[in-house]
Amino acid sequence: MTTYDLPTREFLEVLTSVLGPIEKSTIALHEPNIGPHEHKMVAECLSSGWVSSVGEFITRFENQLSKITGAAHVIAIVNGTSALHLALHSVGIKPGDEVIIPSLSFVATANAVAHCGATPHFADSDPVTLGLDPVALRKHLASATTQQGDDLFNTKTGRRIGAIVPMHTFGHPMQIEELILIANEFGLPIVEDAAESLGSYVGKKHTGTFGVCGILSFNGNKTITTGGGGAILTDDESLATKIRHLATTAKLAHEWEFMHDKTAWNYRMPNLNAALGCAQLDRLDKFLRDKRNLANKYDIALKSSESLEFISEPKGTTSNYWLNTVRLKKPNLQIRNELLTASRAKGYLCRPAWNLLHQLPMYDNSPRAELPVAQMLLSSLINVPSSANLGL
Ligand SMILES: *Cc1c(COP(=O)(O)O)cnc(C)c1O
């Protein structure tokens, strides 16, 4: 028998009390919830023959998302990464630019920047929201940048800084209103990476609708899934028109002629995926209730822990609790790894936060602010099983 340190013993106790002992071989971190409703709608789509990039489920899916998020325009896209790439391109990110992103994020945030020919410029996170820290960012921008005309430049690299991409980590809204003030002060547009935060709000306003535009992801592990998929949200009609055009090979409307006026993309979500998405959105409220219920169970179970705490939604926000997160009160990478190894050995498929993006080989030369909080969070955060059905 291995004898574990206190944090590991407490962690295993919490997992067992919230999730019960393992009956099947493992409990996944987050799995899709597919039922009869999904079967019915996907079958309906298949029978219609409209399985590709045109069809009524796409429009229906976009309208449903518009209603849920309050965004005036929603464009369904093949996946979240492509959505972010196209969003950044469409707000004017060009080769040679830099884009501010958190180092604590999924690699897609940085890749979307790189796909524009631009360079990610990493900023630090807030220990409470786990998203970009507006105060630290303001300090960094004030010392590291120079305004020239309408543009902001990185004084050291000489490159233009084109946008800020905040991310709502694990579904918890970051301080977007505070960030908007700073973005305005420095004249930078905000493109929100809301890939993880469908169903998360700041006050009554949905995440992803604060910036010029925002993106969602419907990958298999997200709150709802379309198999693979994403969406761009915006209130700006001309931006929406431009994005729709660029997502569909920039083809000019014509009955039979192939006339295209830009080098563009085939990024539109197929109707087949949208059918699955429509069925999932019909059940979103129930998923969110069950996920909140599960979060509540983790929160209660962790109240008596000496070494661990639960990460709750920030004040004034509603989180979708996409991935429930436990924090080591004393950050320690070795103990974090022991928690992961021990829980996974028992079949609870827990996961660490992502390795920091500025330490990945393709981004380790990218510009950055000081990143002490991101480093501390990496050594203290663990995601625990969070599928909606666990909260029933
Ligand atoms: C999932 C995710 C994406 C990318 O979405 P895909 O649909 O998998 O391409 C982007 N950013 C973040 C933070 C994500 O979690």
Side-chain angles (χ1 to χ4, degrees):
M1 271 299 281
T2 330
T3 51
Y4 290 122
D5 287 340
L6 178 70
T8 309
R9 279 184 277 131
E10 287 189 333
F11 189 55
L12 293 176
E13 238 170 74
V14 165
L15 291 172
T16 315
S17 83
V18 172
L19 304 171
I22 300 269
E23 282 167 26
K24 46 175 193 167
S25 56
T26 55
I27 295 182
L29 183 70
H30 201 288
E31 55 188 4
N33 189 319
I34 308 289
H37 190 49
E38 282 78 5
H39 281 263
K40 187 169 154 279
M41 282 174 88
V42 171
E44 195 184 311
C45 178
L46 288 171
S47 305
S48 78
W50 294 92
V51 294
S52 196
S53 50
V54 179
E56 64 184 42
F57 284 110
I58 297 172
T59 316
R60 195 159 138 193
F61 185 60
E62 290 178 343
N63 290 342
Q64 265 176 298
L65 280 172
S66 174
K67 209 161 162 195
I68 291 164
T69 61
H73 306 278
V74 177
I75 302 107
I77 298 287
V78 285
N79 59 56
T81 311
S82 306
L84 189 54
H85 171 209
L86 182 54
L88 287 168
H89 173 87
S90 302
V91 305
I93 299 305
K94 290 184 284 297
D97 286 347
E98 292 180 8
V99 174
I100 307 281
I101 70 169
S103 183
L104 185 73
S105 184
F106 179 54
V107 70
T109 316
N111 288 347
V113 171
H115 292 324
C116 292
T119 305
H121 182 137
F122 297 108
D124 207 11
S125 303
D126 178 278
V128 173
T129 68
L130 315 181
L132 275 183
D133 177 344
V135 175
L137 180 61
R138 191 185 177 284
K139 247 194 221 156
H140 175 64
L141 289 177
S143 73
T145 67
T146 319
Q147 194 87 38
Q148 272 176 44
D150 282 344
D151 285 328
L152 188 73
F153 291 87
N154 179 334
T155 313
K156 203 146 113 203
T157 64
R159 290 188 290 239
R160 186 183 84 105
I161 297 178
I164 306 176
V165 181
M167 197 275 284
H168 304 286
T169 311
F170 309 137
H172 292 329
M174 57 80 62
Q175 295 164 277
I176 188 72
E177 283 161 328
E178 292 78 354
L179 186 70
I180 288 170
L181 297 178
I182 289 151
N184 290 345
E185 182 183 341
F186 290 91
L188 294 173
I190 290 180
V191 174
E192 275 175 272
D193 183 345
E196 306 181 352
S197 61
L198 174 66
S200 300
Y201 297 80
V202 176
K204 294 217 151 40
K205 197 167 161 60
H206 197 281
T207 52
T209 66
F210 288 84
V212 184
C213 58
I215 69 103
L216 300 171
S217 164
F218 314 112
N219 194 34
N221 61 347
K222 297 282 175 14
T223 299
I224 69 141
T225 187
T226 58
I232 302 177
L233 315 175
T234 184
D235 284 338
D236 180 331
E237 186 171 357
S238 67
L239 182 63
T241 305
K242 179 176 174 183
I243 288 170
R244 245 176 231 290
H245 187 58
L246 289 172
T248 46
T249 66
K251 187 178 179 300
L252 303 182
H254 191 280
E255 206 183 325
W256 40 259
E257 198 175 40
F258 286 94
M259 180 56 199
H260 307 259
D261 62 357
K262 293 249 163 42
T263 303
W265 293 272
N266 175 14
Y267 270 2
R268 291 284 276 145
M269 177 187 285
N271 200 43
L272 186 56
N273 299 78
L276 177 54
C278 289
Q280 290 264 284
L281 284 183
D282 286 342
R283 300 171 64 211
L284 176 64
D285 284 348
K286 167 90 171 109
F287 292 163
L288 292 173
R289 271 200 306 278
D290 292 345
K291 288 173 75 60
R292 176 161 288 269
N293 197 28
L294 177 63
N296 205 30
K297 289 190 203 178
Y298 279 120
D299 192 15
I300 291 168
L302 282 156
K303 282 273 191 282
S304 53
S305 168
E306 238 176 82
S307 57
L308 307 167
E309 62 193 3
F310 184 65
I311 306 249
S312 296
E313 62 198 356
K315 263 203 195 82
T317 75
T318 306
S319 175
N320 64 3
Y321 284 101
W322 171 52
L323 289 186
N324 289 295
T325 309
V326 172
R327 179 207 305 267
L328 275 169
K329 287 183 184 172
K330 287 195 196 124
N332 183 319
L333 201 57
Q334 222 169 328
I335 293 178
R336 183 206 75 167
N337 290 346
E338 184 181 284
L339 262 61
L340 285 165
T341 317
S343 55
R344 294 184 67 97
K346 287 213 183 295
Y348 302 105
L349 299 185
C350 300
R351 218 179 54 179
W354 315 276
N355 278 356
L356 299 178
L357 297 179
H358 73 279
Q359 290 168 340
L360 299 181
M362 56 290 193
Y363 300 121
D364 65 359
N365 277 321
S366 296
R368 70 201 57 168
E370 301 281 307
L371 301 164
V373 177
Q375 201 70 55
M376 181 274 288
L377 288 172
L378 178 70
S379 319
S380 52
L381 300 182
I382 293 187
N383 293 133
V384 291
S386 299
S387 305
N389 64 318
L390 298 172
L392 284 175

